[in-house]
Amino acid sequence: MLRLSKLTDYATVILSFMAKDTTAFHTAIEIASATGIALPTVSKILKLLVPARVLVSTRGAKGGYALADTPDRITVAAVISALEGPIALTECSISHQGCEQASGCGIRGNWGVINQAIQDALESVTLADMIKPAMAPEEILIPVASLYR
Amino acid sequence: MLRLSKLTDYATVILSFMAKDTTAFHTAIEIASATGIALPTVSKILKLLVPARVLVSTRGAKGGYALADTPDRITVAAVISALEGPIALTECSISHQGCEQASGCGIRGNWGVINQAIQDALESVTLADMIKPAMAPEEILIPVASLYR
DNA sequence: TTAAATAAGACTAAAATAGTCCTAATTAGC
DNA sequence: GCTAATTAGGACTATTTTAGTCTTATTTAA
């Protein structure tokens, strides 16, 4: 389905909650109860976002997590790659080794072009954009049905 | 990893083979031996591409599969949605029902914007583009590392 | 009538993902 | 120092998805 994992989906919910109060540190417990996502899951996601430089953390009593930057400087691309690894549609976009399609596969380079387009799209959207009021969903739903006409 | 399935990857290999001889009908056996992909797998992919209007099929002796249109009119988006369903990054982009994040999720609409951008990127690339000689891979690899700086 | 081919879908096995839990390390406050 | 609160790290299990195979039915040319 070309879809990202639930963890990434949760991550955007968590980050949009945190973006409402940029400076403060939030504990995992606080975030779990505010978002309704199970605590161990919240904790796992928060831990993944720290090495990716999306969040910063402080240990110990009065510790917690905070955004590493302002919401307009945190891109969706950064969040996705933190949770799912490099953004690349095909295996051979990451590494050219081990591709067994000896003949008939002169395609890799062109996948790269597509990957780049998607990368650009994801980098152009920031957390600040995500927390803006949503547009009417009807206007922006993808007309998938049209593909089958 | 925001990546598409192997089936879709195989599909592009199969279609690029077929695009070299647009008019002819190819049997599943012929395609399997030409591409090196296992026959049952080739067969499965070909069958998925027929209802999606990417291929047409003829049964019986002298039957086979052929492209439903010229390569420049078959988009990557059509191939992906044939094999993986609607192009939508998050569950709630497909259906707004059953989203349990009652509070804190004013995000759906904005995912739609991202989905649309990706959709556009995938629709703008056709099978004809894919079979052009690939550019040097080094030039187009996604600079993932830069996300972590 | 027979042989060659697709159609449909059930089924199995493998892999990825989600989610939970436990133990260690760190820090503020008493 | 001691204790409580909190993150860090990683092991582990269960679930779901995906890949791949197989069988039977249908269609058509010769």
Side-chain angles (χ1 to χ4, degrees), chain A residues 1-9 80 84 89, chain B residues 1-5 80 84-95 111 115 118 122:
Chain A
M1 274 221 202
L2 187 71
R3 128 179 126 192
L4 26 83
S5 68
K6 281 187 191 174
L7 267 331
T8 307
D9 206 352
I80 291 175
E84 319 207 9
L89 295 182
Chain B
M1 273 220 202
L2 188 71
R3 129 178 127 193
L4 24 84
S5 69
I80 291 175
E84 319 207 9
I87 294 169
L89 295 182
T90 55
E91 205 58 62
C92 60
S93 302
I94 301 169
S95 157
W111 271 121
N115 281 330
I118 291 175
L122 294 174

Side-chain angles (χ1 to χ4, degrees), chain B residues 64-148:
Chain B
Y65 295 90
L67 297 182
D69 212 330
T70 54
D72 63 303
R73 297 185 59 189
I74 296 174
T75 68
V76 171
V79 175
I80 291 175
S81 65
L83 278 98
E84 319 207 9
I87 294 169
L89 295 182
T90 55
E91 205 58 62
C92 60
S93 302
I94 301 169
S95 157
H96 293 281
Q97 306 179 345
C99 180
E100 305 298 328
Q101 298 321 112
S103 64
C105 182
I107 293 181
R108 299 169 216 93
N110 295 301
W111 271 121
V113 176
I114 299 171
N115 281 330
Q116 188 62 62
I118 291 175
Q119 175 86 0
D120 291 345
L122 294 174
E123 295 223 333
S124 70
V125 182
T126 69
L127 191 53
D129 297 322
M130 295 294 282
I131 59 179
K132 283 179 198 161
M135 302 165 214
E138 289 70 24
E139 293 175 39
I140 47 168
L141 262 181
I142 298 168
V144 177
S146 63
L147 292 172
Y148 296 100

